[in-house]
mmCIF file of all heavy atoms in Angstrom:
data_model
loop_
_atom_site.group_PDB
_atom_site.id
_atom_site.type_symbol
_atom_site.label_atom_id
_atom_site.label_comp_id
_atom_site.label_asym_id
_atom_site.label_seq_id
_atom_site.Cartn_x
_atom_site.Cartn_y
_atom_site.Cartn_z
ATOM 1 N N THR U 821 15.350 -1.869 12.134
ATOM 2 C CA THR U 821 14.627 -1.287 13.168
ATOM 3 C C THR U 821 13.371 -0.756 12.555
ATOM 4 O O THR U 821 13.278 0.097 11.708
ATOM 5 C CB THR U 821 15.292 -0.119 13.831
ATOM 6 O OG1 THR U 821 16.609 -0.574 14.344
ATOM 7 C CG2 THR U 821 14.516 0.401 15.090
ATOM 8 N N LEU U 822 12.183 -1.220 12.986
ATOM 9 C CA LEU U 822 10.843 -0.900 12.504
ATOM 10 C C LEU U 822 10.535 0.588 12.582
ATOM 11 O O LEU U 822 10.222 1.154 11.595
ATOM 12 C CB LEU U 822 9.812 -1.632 13.255
ATOM 13 C CG LEU U 822 8.341 -1.364 12.764
ATOM 14 C CD1 LEU U 822 8.167 -1.810 11.289
ATOM 15 C CD2 LEU U 822 7.363 -2.077 13.635
ATOM 16 N N ASP U 823 10.763 1.183 13.713
ATOM 17 C CA ASP U 823 10.624 2.687 13.783
ATOM 18 C C ASP U 823 11.694 3.298 14.558
ATOM 19 O O ASP U 823 11.717 3.277 15.836
ATOM 20 C CB ASP U 823 9.245 2.912 14.548
ATOM 21 C CG ASP U 823 8.889 4.405 14.547
ATOM 22 O OD1 ASP U 823 9.592 5.134 13.996
ATOM 23 O OD2 ASP U 823 7.730 4.748 15.068
ATOM 24 N N ALA U 824 12.592 3.869 13.831
ATOM 25 C CA ALA U 824 13.845 4.497 14.479
ATOM 26 C C ALA U 824 13.465 5.628 15.402
ATOM 27 O O ALA U 824 14.225 6.026 16.275
ATOM 28 C CB ALA U 824 14.849 4.959 13.321
ATOM 29 N N HIS U 825 12.361 6.181 15.123
ATOM 30 C CA HIS U 825 11.889 7.422 15.980
ATOM 31 C C HIS U 825 10.900 7.119 17.074
ATOM 32 O O HIS U 825 10.428 7.892 17.758
ATOM 33 C CB HIS U 825 11.393 8.500 15.130
ATOM 34 C CG HIS U 825 12.287 8.930 14.011
ATOM 35 N ND1 HIS U 825 13.524 9.558 14.319
ATOM 36 C CD2 HIS U 825 12.242 8.936 12.683
ATOM 37 C CE1 HIS U 825 14.186 9.727 13.198
ATOM 38 N NE2 HIS U 825 13.462 9.463 12.197
ATOM 39 N N GLY U 826 10.611 5.822 17.125
ATOM 40 C CA GLY U 826 9.640 5.327 18.102
ATOM 41 C C GLY U 826 10.228 5.466 19.573
ATOM 42 O O GLY U 826 11.442 5.346 19.790
ATOM 43 N N THR U 827 9.420 5.708 20.503
ATOM 44 C CA THR U 827 9.756 5.889 21.783
ATOM 45 C C THR U 827 9.559 4.670 22.710
ATOM 46 O O THR U 827 9.980 4.756 23.903
ATOM 47 C CB THR U 827 9.036 7.110 22.441
ATOM 48 O OG1 THR U 827 7.593 6.799 22.285
ATOM 49 C CG2 THR U 827 9.308 8.368 21.752
ATOM 50 N N ASP U 828 8.928 3.677 22.242
ATOM 51 C CA ASP U 828 8.560 2.433 23.041
ATOM 52 C C ASP U 828 9.474 1.277 22.651
ATOM 53 O O ASP U 828 9.042 0.195 22.853
ATOM 54 C CB ASP U 828 7.084 2.176 22.872
ATOM 55 C CG ASP U 828 6.177 3.211 23.286
ATOM 56 O OD1 ASP U 828 6.580 3.929 24.091
ATOM 57 O OD2 ASP U 828 5.038 3.254 22.842
ATOM 58 N N GLY U 829 10.645 1.447 22.287
ATOM 59 C CA GLY U 829 11.570 0.371 21.963
ATOM 60 C C GLY U 829 11.000 -0.509 20.824
ATOM 61 O O GLY U 829 10.465 -1.495 20.962
ATOM 62 N N SER U 830 11.277 0.081 19.585
ATOM 63 C CA SER U 830 10.766 -0.527 18.336
ATOM 64 C C SER U 830 11.346 -1.934 18.199
ATOM 65 O O SER U 830 12.473 -2.216 18.531
ATOM 66 C CB SER U 830 11.148 0.477 17.233
ATOM 67 O OG SER U 830 10.635 -0.091 16.016
ATOM 68 N N PRO U 831 10.506 -2.768 17.569
ATOM 69 C CA PRO U 831 11.006 -4.079 17.227
ATOM 70 C C PRO U 831 12.199 -4.059 16.311
ATOM 71 O O PRO U 831 12.317 -3.120 15.447
ATOM 72 C CB PRO U 831 9.813 -4.724 16.533
ATOM 73 C CG PRO U 831 8.602 -3.915 16.900
ATOM 74 C CD PRO U 831 9.047 -2.609 17.215
ATOM 75 N N VAL U 832 13.075 -4.966 16.432
ATOM 76 C CA VAL U 832 14.302 -5.107 15.688
ATOM 77 C C VAL U 832 14.465 -6.457 15.094
ATOM 78 O O VAL U 832 14.214 -7.514 15.814
ATOM 79 C CB VAL U 832 15.512 -4.679 16.562
ATOM 80 C CG1 VAL U 832 16.820 -4.981 15.808
ATOM 81 C CG2 VAL U 832 15.515 -3.322 17.022
ATOM 82 N N ILE U 833 14.901 -6.589 13.831
ATOM 83 C CA ILE U 833 15.230 -7.814 13.208
ATOM 84 C C ILE U 833 16.733 -7.676 12.879
ATOM 85 O O ILE U 833 17.245 -6.651 12.385
ATOM 86 C CB ILE U 833 14.458 -8.065 11.877
ATOM 87 C CG1 ILE U 833 12.944 -8.062 12.149
ATOM 88 C CG2 ILE U 833 14.878 -9.241 11.186
ATOM 89 C CD1 ILE U 833 12.073 -7.977 10.954
ATOM 90 N N GLU U 834 17.521 -8.734 13.172
ATOM 91 C CA GLU U 834 18.906 -8.791 12.870
ATOM 92 C C GLU U 834 19.251 -9.946 11.872
ATOM 93 O O GLU U 834 18.811 -11.075 12.168
ATOM 94 C CB GLU U 834 19.735 -8.888 14.050
ATOM 95 C CG GLU U 834 19.704 -7.604 14.922
ATOM 96 C CD GLU U 834 20.707 -7.646 16.071
ATOM 97 O OE1 GLU U 834 21.200 -8.702 16.472
ATOM 98 O OE2 GLU U 834 20.962 -6.506 16.566
ATOM 99 N N LEU U 835 19.898 -9.623 10.792
ATOM 100 C CA LEU U 835 20.304 -10.553 9.851
ATOM 101 C C LEU U 835 21.765 -10.384 9.433
ATOM 102 O O LEU U 835 22.279 -9.324 9.608
ATOM 103 C CB LEU U 835 19.494 -10.531 8.567
ATOM 104 C CG LEU U 835 17.905 -10.738 8.619
ATOM 105 C CD1 LEU U 835 17.301 -10.220 7.367
ATOM 106 C CD2 LEU U 835 17.669 -12.180 8.946
ATOM 107 N N SER U 836 22.348 -11.534 9.080
ATOM 108 C CA SER U 836 23.817 -11.287 8.588
ATOM 109 C C SER U 836 23.910 -10.530 7.349
ATOM 110 O O SER U 836 22.918 -10.480 6.524
ATOM 111 C CB SER U 836 24.492 -12.720 8.457
ATOM 112 O OG SER U 836 23.968 -13.369 7.308
ATOM 113 N N VAL U 837 25.066 -9.882 7.105
ATOM 114 C CA VAL U 837 25.289 -9.217 5.901
ATOM 115 C C VAL U 837 25.115 -10.148 4.646
ATOM 116 O O VAL U 837 24.492 -9.796 3.642
ATOM 117 C CB VAL U 837 26.727 -8.589 5.924
ATOM 118 C CG1 VAL U 837 27.070 -8.155 4.563
ATOM 119 C CG2 VAL U 837 26.682 -7.397 6.894
ATOM 120 N N ASP U 838 25.627 -11.347 4.915
ATOM 121 C CA ASP U 838 25.476 -12.346 3.762
ATOM 122 C C ASP U 838 23.934 -12.712 3.491
ATOM 123 O O ASP U 838 23.621 -12.857 2.217
ATOM 124 C CB ASP U 838 26.165 -13.673 4.107
ATOM 125 C CG ASP U 838 27.702 -13.575 4.169
ATOM 126 O OD1 ASP U 838 28.200 -12.572 3.487
ATOM 127 O OD2 ASP U 838 28.356 -14.335 4.721
ATOM 128 N N GLN U 839 23.169 -12.760 4.487
ATOM 129 C CA GLN U 839 21.722 -13.072 4.275
ATOM 130 C C GLN U 839 21.086 -11.802 3.484
ATOM 131 O O GLN U 839 20.344 -12.053 2.492
ATOM 132 C CB GLN U 839 21.000 -13.229 5.521
ATOM 133 C CG GLN U 839 21.304 -14.536 6.225
ATOM 134 C CD GLN U 839 20.561 -14.565 7.560
ATOM 135 O OE1 GLN U 839 20.909 -13.815 8.459
ATOM 136 N NE2 GLN U 839 19.684 -15.455 7.777
ATOM 137 N N ILE U 840 21.343 -10.633 3.937
ATOM 138 C CA ILE U 840 20.808 -9.496 3.207
ATOM 139 C C ILE U 840 21.337 -9.308 1.752
ATOM 140 O O ILE U 840 20.644 -9.153 0.845
ATOM 141 C CB ILE U 840 21.152 -8.134 3.953
ATOM 142 C CG1 ILE U 840 20.441 -8.294 5.294
ATOM 143 C CG2 ILE U 840 20.817 -6.875 3.129
ATOM 144 C CD1 ILE U 840 19.004 -8.026 5.281
ATOM 145 N N ARG U 841 22.697 -9.720 1.607
ATOM 146 C CA ARG U 841 23.187 -9.643 0.261
ATOM 147 C C ARG U 841 22.499 -10.663 -0.678
ATOM 148 O O ARG U 841 22.101 -10.345 -1.840
ATOM 149 C CB ARG U 841 24.762 -9.892 0.308
ATOM 150 C CG ARG U 841 25.460 -9.478 -0.962
ATOM 151 C CD ARG U 841 27.001 -9.630 -0.705
ATOM 152 N NE ARG U 841 27.632 -8.840 0.255
ATOM 153 C CZ ARG U 841 27.789 -7.568 0.239
ATOM 154 N NH1 ARG U 841 27.548 -6.936 -0.922
ATOM 155 N NH2 ARG U 841 28.359 -6.952 1.241
ATOM 156 N N ARG U 842 22.236 -11.916 -0.171
ATOM 157 C CA ARG U 842 21.458 -12.852 -0.985
ATOM 158 C C ARG U 842 20.077 -12.427 -1.201
ATOM 159 O O ARG U 842 19.602 -12.575 -2.403
ATOM 160 C CB ARG U 842 21.440 -14.224 -0.211
ATOM 161 C CG ARG U 842 22.799 -14.977 -0.380
ATOM 162 C CD ARG U 842 22.643 -16.462 0.132
ATOM 163 N NE ARG U 842 22.185 -16.542 1.582
ATOM 164 C CZ ARG U 842 23.026 -16.519 2.509
ATOM 165 N NH1 ARG U 842 24.339 -16.357 2.427
ATOM 166 N NH2 ARG U 842 22.576 -16.653 3.775
ATOM 167 N N LEU U 843 19.371 -11.813 -0.217
ATOM 168 C CA LEU U 843 18.123 -11.316 -0.478
ATOM 169 C C LEU U 843 18.002 -10.184 -1.557
ATOM 170 O O LEU U 843 17.098 -10.160 -2.423
ATOM 171 C CB LEU U 843 17.382 -10.727 0.782
ATOM 172 C CG LEU U 843 17.128 -11.898 1.795
ATOM 173 C CD1 LEU U 843 16.804 -11.209 3.109
ATOM 174 C CD2 LEU U 843 15.931 -12.691 1.357
ATOM 175 N N VAL U 844 18.953 -9.301 -1.469
ATOM 176 C CA VAL U 844 19.113 -8.143 -2.454
ATOM 177 C C VAL U 844 19.358 -8.707 -3.832
ATOM 178 O O VAL U 844 18.793 -8.385 -4.855
ATOM 179 C CB VAL U 844 20.106 -7.177 -2.074
ATOM 180 C CG1 VAL U 844 20.341 -6.131 -3.148
ATOM 181 C CG2 VAL U 844 19.642 -6.413 -0.793
ATOM 182 N N ALA U 845 20.287 -9.597 -4.002
ATOM 183 C CA ALA U 845 20.595 -10.256 -5.253
ATOM 184 C C ALA U 845 19.290 -11.038 -5.812
ATOM 185 O O ALA U 845 19.069 -10.888 -7.025
ATOM 186 C CB ALA U 845 21.784 -11.216 -5.146
ATOM 187 N N GLY U 846 18.587 -11.722 -4.965
ATOM 188 C CA GLY U 846 17.363 -12.335 -5.436
ATOM 189 C C GLY U 846 16.306 -11.261 -5.902
ATOM 190 O O GLY U 846 15.671 -11.541 -6.893
ATOM 191 N N ALA U 847 16.248 -10.302 -5.236
ATOM 192 C CA ALA U 847 15.206 -9.273 -5.543
ATOM 193 C C ALA U 847 15.653 -8.555 -6.901
ATOM 194 O O ALA U 847 14.771 -8.380 -7.708
ATOM 195 C CB ALA U 847 15.105 -8.078 -4.519
ATOM 196 N N GLN U 848 16.938 -8.285 -7.110
ATOM 197 C CA GLN U 848 17.393 -7.787 -8.363
ATOM 198 C C GLN U 848 17.116 -8.748 -9.492
ATOM 199 O O GLN U 848 16.728 -8.277 -10.505
ATOM 200 C CB GLN U 848 18.891 -7.505 -8.262
ATOM 201 C CG GLN U 848 19.469 -6.899 -9.503
ATOM 202 C CD GLN U 848 21.005 -6.584 -9.456
ATOM 203 O OE1 GLN U 848 21.683 -6.967 -8.583
ATOM 204 N NE2 GLN U 848 21.436 -5.817 -10.394
ATOM 205 N N GLN U 849 17.432 -10.000 -9.246
ATOM 206 C CA GLN U 849 17.204 -11.046 -10.268
ATOM 207 C C GLN U 849 15.649 -11.042 -10.659
ATOM 208 O O GLN U 849 15.282 -11.109 -11.726
ATOM 209 C CB GLN U 849 17.654 -12.369 -9.880
ATOM 210 C CG GLN U 849 17.593 -13.361 -10.954
ATOM 211 C CD GLN U 849 18.319 -13.010 -12.320
ATOM 212 O OE1 GLN U 849 19.525 -12.840 -12.132
ATOM 213 N NE2 GLN U 849 17.717 -12.863 -13.379
ATOM 214 N N ASP U 850 14.780 -10.987 -9.660
ATOM 215 C CA ASP U 850 13.352 -10.990 -9.812
ATOM 216 C C ASP U 850 12.889 -9.774 -10.730
ATOM 217 O O ASP U 850 12.112 -9.915 -11.632
ATOM 218 C CB ASP U 850 12.568 -10.952 -8.568
ATOM 219 C CG ASP U 850 12.654 -12.226 -7.870
ATOM 220 O OD1 ASP U 850 13.053 -13.345 -8.329
ATOM 221 O OD2 ASP U 850 12.255 -12.253 -6.593
ATOM 222 N N LEU U 851 13.559 -8.540 -10.391
ATOM 223 C CA LEU U 851 13.179 -7.423 -11.228
ATOM 224 C C LEU U 851 13.646 -7.583 -12.667
ATOM 225 O O LEU U 851 13.040 -7.164 -13.626
ATOM 226 C CB LEU U 851 13.744 -6.187 -10.545
ATOM 227 C CG LEU U 851 13.053 -5.767 -9.215
ATOM 228 C CD1 LEU U 851 13.905 -4.617 -8.568
ATOM 229 C CD2 LEU U 851 11.654 -5.267 -9.469
ATOM 230 N N GLN U 852 14.919 -8.107 -12.738
ATOM 231 C CA GLN U 852 15.504 -8.331 -14.226
ATOM 232 C C GLN U 852 14.649 -9.300 -15.010
ATOM 233 O O GLN U 852 14.386 -9.086 -16.164
ATOM 234 C CB GLN U 852 16.921 -8.910 -14.063
ATOM 235 C CG GLN U 852 17.945 -7.949 -13.578
ATOM 236 C CD GLN U 852 18.384 -6.832 -14.604
ATOM 237 O OE1 GLN U 852 17.865 -6.892 -15.807
ATOM 238 N NE2 GLN U 852 19.173 -5.973 -14.265
ATOM 239 N N ASP U 853 14.143 -10.399 -14.263
ATOM 240 C CA ASP U 853 13.337 -11.346 -14.958
ATOM 241 C C ASP U 853 12.011 -10.676 -15.383
ATOM 242 O O ASP U 853 11.436 -10.920 -16.520
ATOM 243 C CB ASP U 853 13.001 -12.508 -13.941
ATOM 244 C CG ASP U 853 14.226 -13.424 -13.735
ATOM 245 O OD1 ASP U 853 15.344 -13.268 -14.430
ATOM 246 O OD2 ASP U 853 14.158 -14.211 -12.806
ATOM 247 N N PHE U 854 11.391 -9.817 -14.534
ATOM 248 C CA PHE U 854 10.213 -9.107 -14.776
ATOM 249 C C PHE U 854 10.388 -8.270 -16.095
ATOM 250 O O PHE U 854 9.562 -8.208 -16.916
ATOM 251 C CB PHE U 854 9.684 -8.250 -13.603
ATOM 252 C CG PHE U 854 8.520 -7.422 -13.887
ATOM 253 C CD1 PHE U 854 7.233 -7.871 -14.106
ATOM 254 C CD2 PHE U 854 8.716 -6.068 -14.099
ATOM 255 C CE1 PHE U 854 6.189 -7.093 -14.448
ATOM 256 C CE2 PHE U 854 7.644 -5.205 -14.483
ATOM 257 C CZ PHE U 854 6.407 -5.708 -14.721
ATOM 258 N N LEU U 855 11.586 -7.521 -15.973
ATOM 259 C CA LEU U 855 11.868 -6.611 -17.150
ATOM 260 C C LEU U 855 11.947 -7.427 -18.444
ATOM 261 O O LEU U 855 11.365 -6.966 -19.488
ATOM 262 C CB LEU U 855 13.086 -5.837 -16.963
ATOM 263 C CG LEU U 855 13.526 -4.809 -17.989
ATOM 264 C CD1 LEU U 855 12.539 -3.740 -18.125
ATOM 265 C CD2 LEU U 855 14.890 -4.311 -17.660
#
């Protein structure tokens, strides 16, 4: 949810847990590669 405290029905994006898990793993790998 873009703005949990918004009063005008904030935009929402829904993704599966598996999609988020893959995105987080990719971000972690990118940070490890940078390090």
Side-chain angles (χ1 to χ4, degrees):
T821 304
L822 179 63
D823 189 358
H825 303 300
T827 57
D828 296 335
S830 181
V832 172
I833 301 169
E834 291 187 341
L835 297 168
S836 73
V837 167
D838 290 339
Q839 287 174 298
I840 296 291
R841 199 172 300 280
R842 281 191 301 274
L843 289 168
V844 170
Q848 181 183 13
Q849 186 60 57
D850 288 347
L851 291 170
Q852 290 285 0
D853 292 346
F854 172 76
L855 181 62

